[in-house]
């Protein structure tokens, strides 16, 4: 579905990605795990066409999309949900969602289905964006992505800072989204949520993928791998 191959990327003169390769198959969830500053956000942005590559390429459904502008990748169904969630603080939940429906391309995710997935967003429909809890903001950010009928969702630390019960709700919702056939790249700093959701894992450190394997393989060697990457 989406493959970043041998990517090098820079912030100014500093190289922050070194030969990063990561791929997600149709309907699959993979995780990219690493500490603060490891290069997770830069990798996700590269996968969304938001970060120029100095080497390597980006392939979407087999087509080379390395040089396409981000809005073209968005139209191809690649949707990045940033850690900041970027909701409109002065608009209500309903208005935030309605703005996303302007880009709605048909597809499975209609407003009733969004409300079914996140009942909280219906209850909070009239509340302004800046009154939402962190969990509600994350739900809204994902919901807005779904309204664009994505093929791939790139989720940047969706559970960061959320209460355990809210994390459980989000994990359940992400499973429903996957069951609809959306491929997901999940970025997290810890192993717990990735191990619950993803079939394959990538560990990144200092801008390099230092380990990749299935979730079963990670579970088998978890202690050693945690030491390797200094968790
Ligand atoms: N806009 C930027 N300008 C300069 N350096 C940056 C910028 N964004 C990130 N970096 C640096 O790039 C590296 C990787 O950052 P990032 O991809 O955001 O890591 P992560 O998401 O894993 O925390 C870090 O060393 C960070 O300091
Ligand atoms: Mg980040």
């Amino acid at each position: 579905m989406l493959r970043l191959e041998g990517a090098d990327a820079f912030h100014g003169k500093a190289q922050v990605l070194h030969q990063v390769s990561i791929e997600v198959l149709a309907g699959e969830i993979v995780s990219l795990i690493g500490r603060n500053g490891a290069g997770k956000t830069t990798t996700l942005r590269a996968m969304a066409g938001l970060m120029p590559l100095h080497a390597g390429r980006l392939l979407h459904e087999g087509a080379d999309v390395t040089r396409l502008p981000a809005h073209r990748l968005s139209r191809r169904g690649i949707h990045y949900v940033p850690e900041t969630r970027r909701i409109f603080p002065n608009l209500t939940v309903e208005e935030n969602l309605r703005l996303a429906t302007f880009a709605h391309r048909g597809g499975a995710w209609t407003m009733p289905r969004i409300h079914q997935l996140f009942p909280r967003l219906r209850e909070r429909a009239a509340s302004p964006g800046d009154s939402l809890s962190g969990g509600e903001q994350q739900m809204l950010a994902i919901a807005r992505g779904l309204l664009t009928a994505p093929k791939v969702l790139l989720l940047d630390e969706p559970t960061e800072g959320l209460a355990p019960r809210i994390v459980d709700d989000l994990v359940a919702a992400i499973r429903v989204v996957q069951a609809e056939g959306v491929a997901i790249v999940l970025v997290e700093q810890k192993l717990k949520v990735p191990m619950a959701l993803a079939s394959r894992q990538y560990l990144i450190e200092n801008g390099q993928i230092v380990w990749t394997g299935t979730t079963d393989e990670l579970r088998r060697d978890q202690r050693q791998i945690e030491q390797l990457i200094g968790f």
Side-chain angles (χ1 to χ4, degrees), residues 40-41 83 156-157:
K40 303 181 298 298
T41 294
E83 202 180 341
D156 201 346
E157 300 200 33

Side-chain angles (χ1 to χ4, degrees), residues 11 16 35-42:
H11 281 301
V16 293
R35 285 182 286 188
N36 210 6
K40 303 181 298 298
T41 294
T42 306

Side-chain angles (χ1 to χ4, degrees), residues 48-50 68-76 105:
L50 294 162
L68 288 190
H71 71 268
R72 295 278 303 280
L73 291 185
S74 162
R75 230 180 293 148
R76 292 178 73 112
R105 282 178 293 248

Side-chain angles (χ1 to χ4, degrees), residues 79 81 85-88 91-98 100 114 118 121 127-130 132-147 170:
H79 187 87
V81 180
R85 294 153 194 170
R86 261 187 235 144
I87 62 176
F88 296 102
L91 299 184
T92 66
V93 167
E94 190 69 20
E95 288 162 345
N96 266 279
L97 288 172
R98 201 146 341 116
I114 293 289
F118 296 122
L121 293 183
S127 306
D130 63 4
L132 299 182
S133 70
E136 290 164 347
Q137 286 180 35
Q138 188 61 52
M139 290 170 195
L140 182 53
I142 293 174
R144 289 199 323 186
L146 292 174
L147 287 167
L170 263 185

Side-chain angles (χ1 to χ4, degrees), residues 9-17 32-45 51 80 83 156-157 187-189 204 206-207:
F10 288 70
H11 281 301
K13 286 187 175 156
Q15 185 168 359
V16 293
L17 296 186
L32 177 64
I33 309 162
R35 285 182 286 188
N36 210 6
K40 303 181 298 298
T41 294
T42 306
T43 301
L44 275 197
R45 289 176 54 85
M51 188 76 208
Y80 171 57
E83 202 180 341
D156 201 346
E157 300 200 33
V187 156
E188 290 284 342
Q189 290 197 31
I204 186 168
N206 297 323

